[in-house]
Amino acid sequence: MHDDLMAEASAWLAEDPDPETRDELAKLIEAGDVKELSARFSGTLQFGTAGLRGELGAGPTRMNRSVVIRAAAGLAAYLKKTGHAGGLVVIGYDARHKSADFARDTAAVMTGAGLRAAVLPRPLPTPVLAFAIRHLGAVAGVEVTASHNPPRDNGYKVYLGDGSQIVPPADAEIAAEIDAIASLNDVPRPDSGWEILDDAVLDAYLARTDAVLAAGSPRTARTVYTAMHGVGKDVLLAAFARAGFPEPVLVAEQAEPDPDFPTVAFPNPEEPGAMDLAFAQARTTDPDLVIANDPDADRCAVAVKDGEDWRMLRGDEVGALLAAHLVRRGATGVFAESIVSSSLLGRIAEKANLPYEETLTGFKWIARVDGLRYGYEEALGYCVDPEGVRDKDGITAALLITELASVLKEEGRTLLDLLDDLAVEHGLHATDQLSVRVQDLSLIADAMGRLREQPPTELAGLAIVRAEDLTRGTDRLPPTDGLRYTLDGARVIVRPSGTEPKLKCYLEVVVPVADHAALPAARARATELLTTIKRDLSAAAGI
């Protein structure tokens, strides 16, 4: 076993094109570090519907140039087999460690395989890449990003020519092509031959951002903005300037790209502490709202002043606000969301006589809904211009929520006032999440197994009226690893995260509200129910 491991590691080392990971691996081999080498060579980083995502480092279970070159070669082989030989592949990247290298390697592999490759001019938001695919008539797109993962991670997201992320069976077919690559020496990688795009694509994206706003709408809301050490700042500022909004006040410490994300534990606006600097800035400048992007700027977080201090709105709250705004503007087309998002969107669409769809988790599904006008997911993802970007877009979402805040400001109202109105009209829809991060992935499988074998019959004293195992699929949804419990006045979904070592439980309670005066009592009841459901669910899952 030990000799096999050393032979495998030495063979990998001989092919590794990156001096940094070669050095790292050579030291592990020299030290005879069997434990660490076993971890690096216990299989391969799996290519799935999010593409690849993992920790940077040497070896097949880490993100590195060798793994990326194989992934690119597998994608190229898949594209040629599916009738796209000679087609254009457009490549974008964020400002993380190694992102530019991975983008360049991908361009070289595509060129060597006889496809045409074009690379965005510098680190730019993921939505710009998603836009560029259809704008340039590409057959596929690749974005090198790990979104809001920790600094030590990177990733590789694949889109096909329709501008949406891959879904089954394409992911498995690409994975099979990756597995078929015996040696990196078989993958031609010329030194040139691809195009580095100029700013024309970015200009075309920015021109589209105007389309999300209503002509002549008020543009008065003042914002504080954080890019969370990512790539959003320049594009967002340009979009806000074009729209005629007041220039956002920047959170200076987080404004410029920094792959080490020094001021946050996790560069995700949803994580505790991530918004502290933005709130400190807001206390000084007293804006109408705070806006944050995640590092690749495909998500948008919104915070508002609630009483004396600032608080983040939940993704579901922003999702409902944007929907209500679009309805008021007379939008037509399908409103869609994933099953883990609040059922309030369905109520809003129904009242407006608009078609509504539920999909599996992820924008790869939401973006594919026929006739989509607006789609959102509770994890701060909003698609407000599906004709331009068939994915979540934190820049256009920021524009639209700032327009809504401006409309309300002119009426002497706030986003919180509109949320109150929606609660009175449709019932108070309160959501929460129980999220458990693990070191040992088997704990997630154990919890799912426990819930399947001994499903709870009630949570927080509410009877479970329907329990569904989503691995079997439903009449509206393809199979996925998840459980859905419908309770009397509540809903719970339990699923393993697709991108992180987490078990995620999504909770929603709906409390009827007679009038505005009844809201405080309804909120107290909702909080109590959510707390008790969390406790009971933890016990049932053994987590």
Side-chain angles (χ1 to χ4, degrees), residues 44 106 189 307 310 354 407 412 434 454 460 469:
T44 55
T106 301
R189 299 201 308 282
W310 289 81
L354 291 171
V407 169
L434 171 64
Q454 298 171 311
D469 187 342

Side-chain angles (χ1 to χ4, degrees), residues 21-80:
T21 43
R22 285 175 63 85
D23 183 48
E24 182 187 324
L25 187 53
K27 284 178 175 153
L28 290 173
I29 293 170
E30 199 178 324
D33 190 338
V34 173
K35 184 177 178 212
E36 188 57 33
L37 286 168
S38 298
R40 304 299 182 94
F41 287 86
S42 61
T44 55
L45 197 58
Q46 286 305 299
F47 185 91
T49 41
L52 296 166
R53 206 178 278 188
E55 193 175 336
L56 290 161
T61 64
R62 299 282 189 273
M63 278 297 292
N64 52 62
R65 290 183 59 199
S66 301
V67 163
V68 164
I69 290 164
R70 286 172 188 274
L75 174 60
Y78 167 83
L79 290 171
K80 286 159 75 171

Side-chain angles (χ1 to χ4, degrees), residues 366-391:
I366 295 170
R368 286 191 151 67
V369 168
D370 274 348
L372 182 68
R373 172 59 186 88
Y374 168 63
Y376 98 89
E377 184 151 80
E378 55 70 47
L380 312 184
Y382 313 94
C383 174
V384 301
D385 176 27
E387 286 306 301
V389 176
R390 286 198 181 161
D391 198 4

Side-chain angles (χ1 to χ4, degrees), residues 396-419:
T396 48
L399 287 171
L400 194 61
I401 197 75
T402 309
E403 177 184 61
L404 172 57
S406 302
V407 169
L408 292 165
K409 186 178 181 176
E410 300 298 296
E411 298 169 355
R413 284 153 49 77
T414 67
L415 294 174
L416 291 179
D417 292 330
L418 180 51
L419 282 173

Side-chain angles (χ1 to χ4, degrees), residues 75-156:
L75 174 60
Y78 167 83
L79 290 171
K80 286 159 75 171
K81 271 193 184 170
T82 50
H84 298 298
L88 173 69
V89 178
V90 59
I91 301 151
Y93 58 102
D94 67 10
R96 283 176 178 267
H97 293 297
K98 300 280 183 192
S99 287
D101 295 347
F102 295 166
R104 183 193 156 85
D105 282 331
T106 301
V109 170
M110 295 303 161
T111 306
L115 290 143
R116 291 178 298 129
V119 185
L120 292 179
R122 58 186 170 278
L124 285 167
T126 294
V128 177
L129 180 273
F131 167 81
I133 295 164
R134 293 167 73 209
H135 179 69
L136 298 172
V139 298
V142 170
E143 175 71 19
V144 180
T145 181
S147 190
H148 56 273
N149 275 39
R152 61 177 185 275
D153 290 3
N154 212 328
Y156 197 82

Side-chain angles (χ1 to χ4, degrees), residues 58 66 70 171 175 188 197 212 282 345 375 410-411 413 480 519 535:
S66 301
R70 286 172 188 274
D171 54 345
L197 294 163
V212 306
L345 184 69
E410 300 298 296
E411 298 169 355
R413 284 153 49 77
T480 185
L519 275 167
R535 187 197 65 205

